[in-house]
Amino acid sequence: MKHRIVVLGAGYAGAFAAGNLARRLSPADTEITVVNAEPDFVERMRLHQLAIGQDLAFRKLADVFAGTGVRLRLARVAGIDPERRTVAVTGEDGDGELAYDTLLYALGSSVAHHGVPGVAEYAFDVTGRSSALRLRERLAGLGKGGTVLVVGEGLTGIETATEFAEFRPDLSVALAARGELGAWLSPKARRHLRQAFDRLGITVHEHTGIEAVEPTRAMAADGTSIPAEVTVWSAGFAVHPIAAASGLEVAGTGQIVVDRTMRSVSHPDVYAAGDCAYAIGENGRPLPMSCASAGYTNMQATAAIIARLTGSEVPTTGLKYHGNHISLGRRDAIFQMVDGDVRSKSWYLGGRTATWLKAGILKGAGWSIVHPTFGMPKRKRRLATAPDRGGVRAAA
Ligand SMILES: Cc1cc2nc3c(=O)[nH]c(=O)nc-3n(C[C@H](O)[C@H](O)[C@H](O)COP(=O)(O)OP(=O)(O)OC[C@H]3O[C@@H](n4cnc5c(N)ncnc54)[C@H](O)[C@@H]3O)c2cc1C
């Protein structure tokens, strides 16, 4: 019987990992299935562009995996039973169950509401394609001078506010920040950011925690009312509750607690990568939810799975966060390097070069999904337990 590897989620982490595993393990003794709710590979890093009305091309997952041997199951993951090693799925063809020998959990994240009243009912977000499309429709119906409030001064909030203001200068765009805009950037990068906000005419409400969202306004903690025909909630990501509900050991964030090889600390048949993994980086801190972390963690997870199945030593891949690339619309950007303690270095890159770099990163991330083994050995490896290899047990 073949070893069944099931990958949950085909985002940056899952899609890359599935392609990588399929190209490096022999189909003679492994069977790889990917479960994803959407038929396309969704580049989440571009969803604010989609929301404001730009047209993006989505690649079909069926094309991404064509010829690789990966089986694609378009369905929603409803639950996992790690004791029986099964995944419950629900799709167009009804409910079903998939059995696995090794599971790679990469279901990503969605918007974090933080329990703020009115967010679930009235706010929009850009964390998933369906929510970005809902926002796109709402914004398309907003006339000249329409008020849009982006809540959150993190990377997604900054990218969203600047993209919206540049692409739709007819709108009145504002951003609510709990602290100071770009407080975590180096002084020069912060100045650059503030100049970009001024140039794009974005109003910034600093020290303004939003405590309630209503249909046409948002209420700050001090009682200030900010007009907002559209509120875009960008106050962080939250992981799906599936992992916690299934009995896997999770952190307070709901992310799966993994060891250095991305293996679940409670269930050795389960690995996690991307936003849903609680992985400690080389600086001793949890890796941030980001595309870069999705890259490091899925590379480490696939390397560990391949090594353990083929009976070789598990290699370690780097888990180091280098910096933030922040787009400020299509014509400006900031690249802020950070040190080992995730503090901004004084050096930063801004303007055209940073814009070009960010465009390259976005393109590269999409390209790598289709070429997951670029630069790696082409040889497909047999399992240590394959019967024609003497059925040696895979290394633990
Ligand atoms: C607007 C925006 C801009 C961003 N910009 C940057 C940036 O510049 N740099 C950066 O590093 N990061 C950025 N990020 C964050 C980055 O996109 C995420 O950290 C990254 O997508 C995580 O990858 P992942 O594979 O873990 O999850 P995802 O890319 O979210 O993939 C998860 C996959 O699982 C599927 N899925 C989810 N639930 C289910 C289910 N129940 N059943 C079946 N399938 C399911 C989804 O459809 C998806 O295909 C940005 C995010 C957003 C929203």
Side-chain angles (χ1 to χ4, degrees):
M1 183 152 151
K2 292 188 187 182
H3 187 94
R4 297 157 301 182
I5 301 177
V6 174
V7 179
L8 304 183
Y12 292 104
F16 186 94
N20 193 359
L21 288 166
R23 287 171 175 93
R24 293 176 63 201
L25 287 170
S26 169
D29 38 34
T30 44
E31 182 184 285
I32 297 160
T33 305
V34 179
V35 185
N36 200 64
E38 302 225 24
D40 300 328
F41 173 68
V42 173
E43 290 186 65
R44 269 180 87 194
M45 289 195 286
R46 296 186 189 270
L47 287 180
H48 53 309
Q49 295 177 243
L50 181 72
I52 196 58
Q54 297 170 23
D55 290 322
L56 307 180
F58 289 99
R59 195 184 279 267
K60 290 256 165 268
L61 284 170
D63 295 339
V64 169
F65 296 126
T68 63
V70 170
R71 299 167 177 215
L72 176 62
R73 177 86 184 251
L74 293 180
R76 183 156 283 281
V77 176
I80 302 165
D81 184 339
E83 309 311 328
R84 288 176 55 236
R85 294 195 296 189
T86 56
V87 178
V89 295
T90 165
E92 277 179 5
D93 45 353
D95 297 347
E97 200 173 75
L98 282 170
Y100 65 82
D101 298 303
T102 297
L103 184 75
L104 176 56
Y105 185 109
L107 291 180
S109 63
S110 60
V111 64
H113 288 164
H114 302 300
V116 173
V119 175
E121 295 87 343
Y122 307 118
F124 293 80
D125 70 81
V126 293
T127 62
R129 179 160 68 167
S130 54
S131 58
L133 286 172
R134 202 168 69 86
L135 173 57
R136 180 182 172 111
E137 199 182 322
R138 177 73 184 95
L139 290 170
L142 213 55
K144 192 171 171 7
T147 50
V148 178
L149 176 69
V150 177
V151 180
E153 73 271 42
L155 301 178
T156 312
I158 291 172
E159 291 200 337
T160 301
T162 49
E163 194 78 41
F164 284 14
E166 182 185 271
F167 199 73
R168 288 282 308 272
D170 59 312
L171 297 176
S172 167
V173 179
L175 180 139
R178 246 186 205 292
E180 277 175 29
L181 181 68
W184 42 274
L185 291 167
S186 63
K188 284 182 189 161
R190 196 181 313 164
R191 210 171 309 131
H192 186 119
L193 179 69
R194 286 181 172 276
Q195 281 167 0
F197 268 63
D198 286 347
R199 172 171 50 79
L200 293 166
I202 303 167
T203 306
V204 181
H205 302 275
E206 292 184 318
H207 306 290
T208 304
I210 298 300
E211 300 234 314
V213 177
E214 297 176 8
T216 56
R217 65 177 185 169
M219 301 300 297
D222 63 1
T224 311
S225 157
I226 303 174
E229 284 161 90
V230 174
T231 296
V232 184
W233 196 255
S234 293
F237 298 151
V239 297
H240 304 285
I242 296 171
S246 67
L248 293 165
E249 185 169 329
V250 295
T253 54
Q255 292 167 295
I256 297 173
V257 181
V258 290
D259 65 14
R260 180 62 177 77
T261 70
M262 303 302 134
R263 194 183 214 180
S264 155
V265 295
S266 61
H267 292 78
D269 308 315
V270 178
Y271 291 75
D275 285 357
C276 58
Y278 186 79
I280 304 300
E282 277 157 29
N283 58 6
R285 298 162 194 256
L287 288 174
M289 290 189 195
S290 70
C291 189
S293 304
Y296 305 142
T297 54
N298 92 67
M299 293 289 274
Q300 177 61 79
T302 48
I305 291 170
I306 292 169
R308 290 195 173 109
L309 291 179
T310 56
S312 50
E313 202 178 319
V314 177
T316 50
T317 61
L319 298 176
K320 197 168 175 199
Y321 200 70
H322 296 283
N324 300 307
H325 303 84
I326 317 158
S327 66
L328 306 171
R330 294 301 91 201
R331 293 187 283 275
D332 196 5
I334 287 174
F335 173 42
Q336 175 69 70
M337 293 281 282
V338 297
D339 65 17
D341 291 322
V342 206
R343 278 189 307 248
S344 293
K345 293 185 177 178
S346 59
W347 182 85
Y348 91 106
L349 204 60
R352 274 189 185 282
T353 318
T355 310
W356 174 82
L357 195 64
K358 174 86 190 194
I361 286 168
L362 289 172
K363 261 198 193 137
W367 184 88
S368 70
I369 300 300
V370 190
H371 304 89
T373 48
F374 182 72
M376 290 182 194
K378 293 271 185 296
R379 188 169 63 91
K380 296 217 187 225
R381 298 177 62 183
R382 300 295 310 273
L383 261 55
T385 48
D388 57 346
R389 301 191 72 211
V392 182
R393 277 192 64 77

